[in-house]
Amino acid sequence: MELYANDTKAHDEARQGEAFESTSPQHHFNKFFYVESYGCAMNFADSEVVASILQNNGYGSTRDESMADLILVNTCSVREKAEQTVRKRLTEFRKLKTVKPGLLVGILGCMAERLKSQLLEEEKLVDIVVGPDAYRTLPDLIAEAGTGHKAVNVILSRDETYGDIAPVRLDSNGISGFVSIMRGCNNMCSFCVVPFTRGRERSRDAFSIVAECRDLFEKGYKEITLLGQNVDSYYWNNPETNASVTFAQLLESVAKIDLGLRVRFSTSHPKDITDEVLFTMAKHPNICKYIHLPVQSGSTRMLQLMNRTYTREWYLSKVARIKEIMPDCSISADIIAGFCTETEEDHQDTMSIMKEANYDYSYMYFYSERPGTLAAKRYKDDIPEEVKKRRLQEIVDVQWVLSNESNKRDVGKTFEVLIEGNSKKSDQEWMGRNSQNKVIVFPKGNHGYKKGDYVQVLVTDFTKGTLLGNVSN
Ligand code: SAM
Ligand code: SF4
Ligand code: F3S
């Protein structure tokens, strides 16, 4: 199924996006909002939807909080620490509110959904609380809060995807953009709060996704990351034709927009990633050879308690399949240390699966009990904090060695790098990524390359987390 070629709906939506930007120059606004986002990429993408809704209602965006008439904090609940960070930030905004009467402060996102109006009790100076599926009602809620009433909407939806809204890109480098393809999650991993804060899984209209990606490409973007909590279970049924679109088909349609547009995706649940997706990745050079495949634990007993629905062996066979189909594919994982009842043996299993899967990179956390989750209801959070932290450190140490070896293997190889901008250290160096999602820094020299160009780079060395190289002629 071709999702992009001369499709009227897709073109209409792309035009809508253009018209929106040209009719909304900053200087027309007399009110400004400031938004700060926490948590996963989906939250950042949601803030861009919120920016679009607000701009259509007369609010311009500002990156200077002291200029704002409305401050929004898009929050995360995944671990307790994420919520603590937000609360700290709110105390700073509280101070601003006391010197600027009329300033409104709103909480968006997962913490708003989890705590609902309880947040108004706890955070007395918050005026607005909005859950992830209620952003279309923000203008009404702002109006209500403007009259001195507290405004709350945390209703979750079964069909909201914001598919028709052209996001306003915030803090973008103009090269890489996120595009949400679905919302919510139907998996019930026992440790995880996301199904409660984001609601049921639903897939966005495939035409609107391809139109948004095409629009970004036409605006100069060179890399798109398709976002969902579990992208492999994307499944959209066209209500007009009853034809369905799978994730592999969607991926292919986005890849076909142009060979000069790189496509990435996140996150894959190991139980759902199919051979069809892997073969689609292998077939298209512009689909990046990188899969984020969270394992959570290497112990089958833990995986069962976590309700991940796969065993250690099954997970490793999936890794082997990825490497068989795409030997150059890099793999990263999410890992949780110290989940309920975890023994030293379970912990050893996690460290050994990391070595067997040979992860290029991992995101590692210690378990943080979240109220309302299956684990909080069923199991005791019985691993002492110092044990959790010690195990986490051991896991981090294993990953450090694996990442180091992975980088060492890349020395002497030449990669195509998409230039994202100057390196952090010097404006004489470019920073970009290869298909495998590794950061590569190299001297600009006088090759005349610019941001957004693809360049062949020979890797000569590496530091912690970064490959170093030179333009290869
Ligand atoms: N949907 C993705 C998946 O299936 O892996 C990611 C969801 S979550 C936003 C990102 C990561 O946070 C998870 O993969 C898990 O490792 C971690 N996480 C979730 N809940 C956690 C908790 N209660 N304590 C510690 N880490 C947690
Ligand atoms: Fe949470 Fe599991 Fe859903 Fe990921 S797949 S968001 S870890 S419930
Ligand atoms: Fe956090 Fe919600 Fe994302 S809990 S990780 S912001 S889905």
Side-chain angles (χ1 to χ4, degrees):
M1 177 180 184
E2 299 287 334
L3 282 168
Y4 62 96
N6 296 324
D7 184 80
T8 329
K9 189 171 177 203
H11 280 270
D12 281 346
E13 268 154 2
R15 270 201 300 274
Q16 212 180 326
E18 281 157 26
F20 172 80
E21 293 208 340
S22 58
T23 53
S24 306
Q26 284 268 335
H27 59 269
H28 283 166
F29 301 116
N30 49 19
K31 286 202 162 188
F32 288 90
F33 73 94
Y34 169 87
V35 63
E36 208 166 271
S37 308
Y38 295 87
C40 62
M42 266 158 280
N43 243 20
F44 285 74
D46 277 3
S47 293
E48 299 185 336
V49 167
V50 166
S52 175
I53 292 169
L54 291 179
Q55 285 204 3
N56 276 335
N57 282 275
Y59 275 85
S61 92
T62 172
R63 299 320 291 147
D64 176 0
E65 60 205 65
S66 68
M67 255 190 75
D69 305 283
L70 169 67
I71 290 179
L72 298 171
V73 191
N74 198 352
T75 60
C76 174
S77 280
V78 78
R79 284 166 289 276
E80 198 185 344
K81 193 158 173 272
E83 291 198 354
Q84 281 166 358
T85 310
V86 166
R87 285 184 196 278
K88 230 188 195 164
R89 199 65 184 118
L90 285 173
T91 57
E92 286 160 28
F93 293 138
R94 223 176 271 157
K95 282 181 213 143
L96 216 56
K97 210 166 146 61
T98 52
V99 293
K100 189 170 179 181
L103 170 70
L104 296 177
V105 175
I107 303 189
L108 316 177
C110 291
M111 211 172 147
E113 192 62 51
R114 191 178 86 73
L115 294 164
K116 305 186 169 58
S117 44
Q118 188 188 325
L119 261 179
L120 297 174
E121 297 296 313
E122 293 171 18
E123 305 289 343
K124 294 251 180 286
L125 291 179
V126 166
D127 307 286
I128 305 167
V129 176
V130 199
D133 286 346
Y135 296 144
R136 284 183 204 267
T137 65
L138 250 174
D140 293 340
L141 298 170
I142 295 166
E144 194 181 331
T147 65
H149 296 105
K150 303 281 182 190
V152 184
N153 187 349
V154 287
I155 297 171
L156 285 174
S157 159
R158 279 183 175 262
D159 47 28
E160 178 62 272
T161 61
Y162 302 112
D164 58 320
I165 294 179
V168 169
R169 307 290 157 187
L170 300 165
D171 300 329
S172 167
N173 62 5
I175 302 298
S176 322
F178 290 123
V179 174
S180 286
I181 65 164
M182 60 208 295
R183 300 183 72 79
C185 182
N186 282 357
N187 295 316
M188 276 285 170
C189 302
S190 61
F191 51 79
C192 185
V193 78
V194 172
F196 302 95
T197 60
R198 293 262 164 179
R200 305 292 291 172
E201 179 185 291
R202 64 224 99 120
S203 295
R204 176 180 167 190
D205 177 331
F207 291 109
S208 79
I209 297 170
V210 177
E212 188 178 324
C213 296
R214 171 182 292 281
D215 183 47
L216 283 172
F217 181 66
E218 283 167 2
K219 290 190 169 115
Y221 282 76
K222 295 288 177 60
E223 184 177 83
I224 277 169
T225 305
L226 303 175
L227 293 178
Q229 289 297 354
N230 183 10
V231 288
D232 300 278
S233 71
Y234 175 89
Y235 189 84
W236 181 69
N237 215 52
N238 186 339
E240 281 154 34
T241 61
N242 215 21
S244 55
V245 181
T246 63
F247 180 58
Q249 288 165 331
L250 178 73
L251 198 54
E252 175 146 80
S253 298
V254 177
K256 280 179 166 179
I257 288 174
D258 196 285
L259 254 185
L261 180 68
R262 273 186 175 179
V263 190
R264 299 186 184 276
F265 55 88
S266 184
T267 300
S268 293
H269 193 299
K271 77 175 164 60
D272 292 315
I273 190 162
T274 58
D275 270 9
E276 198 195 352
V277 168
L278 301 180
F279 284 123
T280 305
M281 290 177 74
K283 182 173 150 196
H284 295 276
N286 57 330
I287 303 181
C288 291
K289 304 299 176 276
Y290 166 60
I291 298 178
H292 182 55
L293 198 71
V295 64
Q296 314 299 359
S297 169
S299 149
T300 296
R301 188 182 75 85
M302 282 290 104
L303 290 169
Q304 229 157 16
L305 288 185
M306 289 174 164
N307 201 21
R308 289 292 287 182
T309 72
Y310 51 83
T311 61
R312 172 191 176 93
E313 290 69 30
W314 194 93
Y315 179 93
L316 284 171
S317 68
K318 196 53 96 177
V319 169
R321 188 71 177 142
I322 294 170
K323 294 285 184 187
E324 186 187 332
I325 295 171
M326 289 172 290
D328 62 338
C329 188
S330 68
I331 301 179
S332 64
D334 286 350
I335 298 168
I336 298 178
F339 186 60
C340 313
T341 78
E342 187 186 71
T343 62
E344 286 303 322
E345 203 185 335
D346 294 319
H347 170 56
Q348 292 298 329
D349 283 348
T350 294
M351 294 198 289
S352 69
I353 205 171
M354 293 171 71
K355 292 174 197 161
E356 279 188 55
N358 204 5
Y359 296 125
D360 296 280
Y361 191 78
S362 288
Y363 299 86
M364 299 154 280
Y365 316 98
F366 64 81
Y367 174 57
S368 161
E369 186 179 76
R370 307 313 292 133
T373 55
L374 293 183
K377 285 182 196 153
R378 285 186 196 159
Y379 315 123
K380 195 162 171 255
D381 180 15
D382 58 352
I383 308 300
E385 187 155 318
E386 67 274 14
V387 176
K388 285 181 182 173
K389 287 189 173 162
R390 191 253 305 152
R391 289 182 187 165
L392 176 62
Q393 189 53 52
E394 287 173 6
I395 286 170
V396 168
D397 293 345
V398 170
Q399 187 55 53
W400 196 87
V401 172
L402 294 177
S403 298
N404 216 45
E405 284 169 0
S406 165
N407 287 345
K408 210 185 281 176
R409 284 193 297 275
D410 286 340
V411 174
K413 291 185 192 163
T414 299
F415 294 101
E416 184 181 72
V417 174
L418 170 63
I419 300 177
E420 292 178 23
N422 289 339
S423 84
K424 270 188 209 144
K425 285 197 187 136
S426 160
D427 61 5
Q428 297 306 304
E429 290 173 340
W430 289 123
M431 167 268 167
R433 272 166 221 271
N434 64 6
S435 173
Q436 289 74 9
N437 205 34
K438 286 194 181 175
V439 172
I440 303 189
V441 167
F442 57 97
K444 288 184 179 176
N446 36 27
H447 297 281
Y449 288 114
K450 57 187 187 317
K451 205 168 106 168
D453 282 346
Y454 289 100
V455 47
Q456 297 293 323
V457 178
L458 170 71
V459 175
T460 52
D461 203 355
F462 60 92
T463 63
K464 200 180 169 211
T466 310
L467 298 177
L468 307 173
N470 287 302
V471 172
S472 154
N473 295 310

